[in-house]
Amino acid sequence: MCGIAGYVGYREAAPLLTGALRKLEYRGYDSAGIAVLETEGVLTVCKAKGPLDALERRLAEGMPHGTLGIGHTRWATHGEPSDINSHPHTDTHGAIAVVHNGIIENYLPLKQWLEARGAVFQSDTDTEVIAQLVSYYYHVEEARTHTSLFDAVLSALYRLEGSYALAVAAAAFPDRLIAVRKDSPLIIGLGTKENFLASDAPALLAHTREVYYLEDHEAAVVYRDHVDLYTGEGERIIKNPVHVDWDTAAAEKAGYAHFMLKEIHEQPRAVTDTLRPRLVYDSAGIPCDINLDALDLFKTPLRRIVLTACGTAAHAAIVAKYAFIRLARIHAEVELASEFRYGEPLLSSDDLVIVVSQSGETADTLAAMRSVKKSGARLLAITNVVGSTLARETDATFYTWAGPEIAVASTKAFTTQLICLYLIALKAGFVQGALNNERYRAALAGLEALPSGIEAVLSQTELVQRFAARQFNKSKVFFMGRQFDYATALESALKLKEINYTHSEAFAAGELKHGPIALVDTDTLVVVIATDPALFDKVVSNIREVRSRGASTLVITRKGAGETAFAPVAEEVLTLPETTEAAFAPLLAVIPAQLFAYYCAVQRGNDPDKPRNLAKSVTVE
Ligand code: AGP
């Protein structure tokens, strides 16, 4: 996720752009930049690695003057944070500048294609291909018909796969900006003799509250005194502006009350962004393989996988342990990073150690990673932050493309970590012969269905909210499940602990009689996670046992068979869509648990974004 801004009007563009970027910093803050069309027709680009302050310091040394410009605050995906990789990116001639929020999945073949036609690239980003492609269609001989910038942008879009919100400025067109979107947000703010562009409303509210929300595949040519709106095919359309009445704080959260809730709802998109660029599609558009070539994981057979992480990332690792065993038939184990670093682990060059960390800065996780490097075992990092210490110190890094996670309680980091781990487990299973082609392809289709599965779970939010209103004050909450559901239970209990400050514990359902049942009384809520029909009967007896001791119960189970099995015995049943593999169920089952923790915390009057005693990133031991 990144933030983009644009201005065309009568005022100095540079300070307006940096002001807008300040309001968009929550969307990305590893680098920032602007391009201003100066009065003599030169596009001047100024950009800097680091937070917006670094750009402002650079601008203080020499501010470009002009009344049209674009800006960007970056959360790196392709190419580490650096001055060169910061946006705006320009074509080889420096005459067309682009800012982009999204991911261009086919940027590598496009880059090669453009290089073969003379384009000279500066950065490692996917975005630069857009500037070069627009330039190609604007300039090349065989495309002379593309006389206008807008036509060139539309022609470029036909070549792009992935998601984008784009703002384009060109030296030859001092009167206009081009804006287009697909799967990433973009808003046009309407002023008087000036108009604005931004990823999100907070960047506009100081200047206007009248906006056009661009829908997918819509485009706009933004002039000083008017805006022309188009379909992606270039047909003119008419829309009514919308009046935004949020205050700035609400707008940063896209109208959600808290970042945590916004991030819960971002999961369909975050999962799609993490998944799709790694899938290979056949000519019918059906996923047929996973491309993990860059990670170079399968040069020799994988015999043992060790996963290490802290907190939520460790819970994703526990799901992965079961997934590696079930899908790839590879021995896998998980060690908390805080234990691993002191555990003198037995590792050899046959082992693959996967280190998982959203921030890539957790002290214990980094220490674990460094001890693996000394052991000679193969090492892979999964992280959300390009350029983080973990990414820099590890040769092979697999990124979750979740965008910045602001809330302390991790949500979209967990589900996107699962996607990365599922991809590795499935590929390993296929390459090493544990999965036949049929099951492999069915599993890939199942992965693709997960974002809509999340949407289906999110549509039951009201039910969760009502249940939370009745249960938030329980003094004990136990989460139980078996196998994959046990992993989900661990993550669910952590969420409730973190933000509702409830004593919540997870245990493997089979352990109930071995101790935990002694704690069950009328002030206890037991949340049962049961996604595997083969285990339903056993779980039904567990529920009867706790209900007979006065506990309240919620069951998170799959539609159909799950409802039939649990509706007669549980107080509340929440259903999940089916998944093609049992391994994928935690990615859906965790969503109601995230919502439940969130609504309990709100009911109690806690701030879910800033839980007491906790920091987003634990950079000390
Ligand atoms: C999750 O909700 C927590 N805030 C915490 O457990 C977190 O997952 C843990 O500190 C690990 O962080 P990392 O993924 O950035 O390494």
Side-chain angles (χ1 to χ4, degrees), residues 309-314 356-362 365 405 407-411 413 417 491 494-495 498 614-618:
C310 298
T312 289
V356 189
S357 170
Q358 185 281 133
S359 62
E361 301 294 348
T362 300
T365 309
E405 197 180 55
V408 167
S410 240
T411 53
Q417 283 160 359
E491 174 58 8
L494 177 65
K495 287 287 91 72
E498 282 187 290
L614 295 177
K616 179 69 185 157
S617 187
V618 185

Side-chain angles (χ1 to χ4, degrees), residues 83-337:
D83 287 359
I84 290 283
N85 288 336
S86 309
H87 299 215
H89 291 285
T90 63
D91 67 333
T92 309
H93 319 285
I96 292 173
V98 170
V99 287
H100 167 220
N101 169 33
I103 294 171
I104 303 304
E105 293 161 12
N106 60 336
Y107 82 102
L108 273 178
L110 285 176
K111 188 171 181 174
Q112 285 154 7
W113 187 87
L114 286 157
E115 279 172 337
R117 284 156 184 80
V120 179
F121 281 80
Q122 308 287 333
S123 76
D124 303 321
T125 66
D126 51 342
T127 302
E128 196 178 351
V129 299
I130 305 172
Q132 299 282 14
L133 209 50
V134 172
S135 175
Y136 171 82
Y137 284 112
Y138 186 67
H139 287 110
V140 291
E141 203 166 327
E142 61 264 35
R144 278 252 162 83
T145 49
H146 296 292
T147 47
S148 91
L149 179 64
F150 183 58
D151 287 345
V153 171
L154 292 191
S155 301
L157 295 188
Y158 283 117
R159 305 283 305 272
L160 302 180
E161 288 168 20
S163 56
Y164 47 79
L166 294 177
V168 183
F173 293 88
D175 61 341
R176 72 194 71 175
L177 294 172
I178 311 293
V180 289
R181 77 155 268 181
K182 176 181 167 258
D183 295 333
S184 293
L186 194 54
I187 304 176
I188 300 166
L190 305 172
T192 307
K193 295 190 184 150
E194 59 181 355
N195 288 308
F196 306 83
L197 282 175
S199 297
D200 226 340
L204 304 175
L205 295 184
H207 309 293
T208 180
R209 288 182 172 270
E210 303 306 310
V211 306
Y212 289 128
Y213 284 95
L214 282 191
E215 301 297 334
D216 277 349
H217 305 290
E218 286 182 354
V221 185
V222 183
Y223 301 90
R224 286 181 173 78
D225 55 358
H226 71 286
V227 177
D228 293 337
L229 299 172
Y230 296 89
T231 66
E233 282 73 46
E235 303 290 322
R236 280 290 293 276
I237 49 171
I238 306 289
K239 287 166 80 119
N240 290 325
V242 175
H243 181 80
V244 179
D245 50 16
W246 293 334
D247 62 23
T248 307
E252 273 181 12
K253 294 168 196 145
Y256 291 102
H258 297 96
F259 279 111
M260 181 179 176
L261 190 60
K262 174 173 176 268
E263 287 161 7
I264 290 172
H265 283 267
E266 273 170 11
Q267 291 177 108
R269 166 106 321 269
V271 162
T272 304
D273 281 350
T274 305
L275 175 65
R276 282 192 61 103
R278 278 72 186 242
L279 293 181
V280 179
Y281 293 86
D282 64 17
S283 54
I286 295 168
C288 55
D289 203 354
I290 301 168
N291 183 355
L292 299 182
D293 294 352
L295 301 181
D296 199 17
L297 292 177
F298 306 106
K299 47 184 180 272
T300 57
L302 297 177
R303 302 242 175 267
R304 183 171 78 131
I305 301 204
V306 179
L307 299 117
T308 186
C310 298
T312 289
H315 297 150
I318 293 171
V319 175
K321 173 187 85 169
Y322 295 121
F324 277 111
I325 294 168
R326 298 263 197 112
L327 297 172
R329 309 304 293 155
I330 298 172
H331 176 78
E333 54 198 73
V334 179
E335 183 89 68
L336 292 170

